[in-house]
Amino acid sequence: MIDVLIVGAGPAGAVAALVLARAGARVRLVDRATFPRDKLCGDTVNPGTLARLKSLGLAADIEARGLKVAGMLVTGERGVAIEGRYPDGVYGRAIVRRDLDWRLLQAAIDAGCEFEPGVSVRGAFVTDDRTGHVVRGVTIGGKDGGLRVDARVTIAADGRRSTIAFGLGLARHPPRPRRWAIGAYYENFANGVRPEADRGLSPAILGEMHVRRGRYIGVAPIPGALTNVCLVRPSRPGDAELRDPAALLSRELRRDPLLRDRAGDARVVGPPVVLGPLAVDATGATIDGLLLATPRDSSIR
C-alpha cells in the first residue's frame, strides 16, 4: 500500500506530491491527461504564489521564462479604471499554464513521486469502520468493476469538476451563478504599456481585468508574443452562442470601447477553449482518509 495517492497533477497535486516525496512518503500521482497538456487559465502567477514556489526551490525557471507582471489594471464601464502596482521590486509572472504545470510536475517526479498519466479515476473506494466512512483509495478504469488502488491517504486535486468530490457528495454546481469561461490565444493583439520601461527598469506588464455588465474579460500578454484573452459570462443549457466560441470572443472584443482597437488586427491562434459551469460549492464535510483540495471559502466562482 502506498502512503499517499494524489488524483490530479495540476499545481495543487504536483506541489503536494513534491512536498510529501521530499519528506519521505511513498507518493503516487495520477491524472487522466498526458502531460504536457493545455489548460484554460489566466496564465499569470501572482507574487504570493511565486514566493511560495520560491520557498520550495521552484521559482527560478518560472521567473526566467515568464514575463514580469508589475500589477493589475481593472476597468469598469463609463471609463472607470483602477491601476494597482505591486511594491517596488515585487513582480508576478505571466507564463503559459501548460509550461507551468509541466515544470511543477517534473519537479515532483525528480523528488521521487511516481507519476502515471492517462488514468481515469472512477471514484473513491470507501469502507466503514466503527468511526464511520473511511476512504481507502480509488477505483480506476475498466468496465468490469475497475481496478482498486489502495492508499493510506487520498488527495483529491482533480479540479473544478472533481470526480471524487462530486461522487462522494462533497461538492456540487449551484443553480446560480452559472458562468462559463471562453479563452483563446491571440497574435497581433495590441498589448498595453509596459509601465516599468519609462523608469529605466526592465520591461514589465500589467495584467488586465475589464469588468462589464454581466461579464468580464481578462487580458494577459504571455511569452511567444501572444496574448491570453478570456471571457467569463453567464450561460444556460442550449446557449447557441457557445457553439461558435471564436465568433463570440470576436463580438465581445469589437463591442468593448477599450479593447476594440487593440483587437483590430488580432488573430486567434488555435481553437478557443470553453469551460463551465464555473461555480462549485463544497459542503465542508470530512471523510477520514481523504483530503479535498478546495479554496478556503469552499466555493469556486
Side-chain angles (χ1 to χ4, degrees):
M1 177 184 292
I2 58 178
D3 295 321
V4 184
L5 172 67
I6 302 174
V7 180
V15 172
L18 171 81
V19 172
L20 289 164
R22 284 179 176 175
R26 292 171 297 173
V27 184
R28 183 177 180 186
L29 177 62
V30 301
D31 198 290
R32 62 175 174 265
T34 299
F35 284 67
R37 56 93 175 93
D38 294 314
K39 182 79 171 179
L40 179 61
C41 181
D43 289 340
T44 57
V45 180
N46 65 45
T49 299
L50 200 59
R52 185 64 60 88
L53 293 176
K54 185 176 294 187
S55 71
L56 296 171
L58 301 176
D61 194 41
I62 296 168
E63 290 178 321
R65 294 174 178 271
L67 302 180
K68 292 170 68 174
V69 179
M72 288 293 298
L73 173 68
V74 181
T75 75
E77 297 180 337
R78 302 178 183 177
V80 175
I82 299 174
E83 185 177 297
R85 302 283 188 91
Y86 301 130
D88 284 345
V90 176
Y91 298 96
R93 287 294 188 277
I95 183 170
V96 177
R97 177 68 182 273
R98 173 189 181 94
D99 295 337
L100 172 67
D101 287 5
W102 180 231
R103 281 162 177 76
L104 296 180
L105 176 57
Q106 286 180 312
I109 295 171
D110 290 343
C113 167
E114 175 190 351
F115 174 60
E116 187 174 354
V119 173
S120 179
V121 173
R122 298 178 58 185
F125 182 79
V126 182
T127 63
D128 293 316
D129 63 15
R130 58 185 180 82
T131 63
H133 298 312
V134 180
V135 172
R136 304 290 187 184
V138 301
T139 302
I140 63 174
K143 296 181 179 180
D144 301 322
L147 175 67
R148 175 177 160 183
V149 179
D150 295 328
R152 291 184 172 86
V153 176
T154 300
I155 299 178
D158 48 343
R160 176 191 55 85
R161 188 61 173 87
S162 168
T163 298
I164 294 176
F166 275 76
L168 293 173
L170 301 178
R172 66 181 182 88
H173 289 301
R176 296 182 63 184
R178 303 284 285 188
R179 298 191 182 101
W180 291 65
I182 305 96
Y185 295 121
Y186 285 79
E187 59 182 13
N188 298 326
F189 193 101
N191 294 323
V193 298
R194 294 176 178 259
E196 306 296 281
D198 295 338
R199 300 163 55 195
L201 302 175
S202 59
I205 62 174
L206 290 177
E208 303 174 38
M209 187 63 68
H210 303 283
V211 183
R212 306 294 183 254
R213 188 179 300 275
R215 67 194 187 283
Y216 60 87
I217 303 172
V219 177
I222 58 173
L226 298 176
T227 300
N228 177 320
V229 176
C230 187
L231 165 70
V232 176
R233 48 158 276 173
S235 182
R236 289 287 177 180
D239 187 345
E241 289 190 301
L242 290 182
R243 297 173 187 168
D244 191 347
L248 174 57
L249 277 174
S250 179
R251 284 195 301 272
E252 290 291 346
L253 291 172
R254 287 199 307 267
R255 69 186 282 202
D256 194 276
L258 288 181
L259 298 175
R260 64 167 68 108
D261 292 339
R262 293 170 59 187
D265 296 325
R267 184 179 70 86
V268 175
V269 178
V273 177
V274 179
L275 181 67
L278 298 180
V280 178
D281 286 343
T283 65
T286 61
I287 301 178
D288 286 349
L290 175 68
L291 294 175
L292 180 60
T294 60
R296 292 183 180 179
D297 64 358
S298 298
S299 178
I300 303 172
R301 297 295 179 187

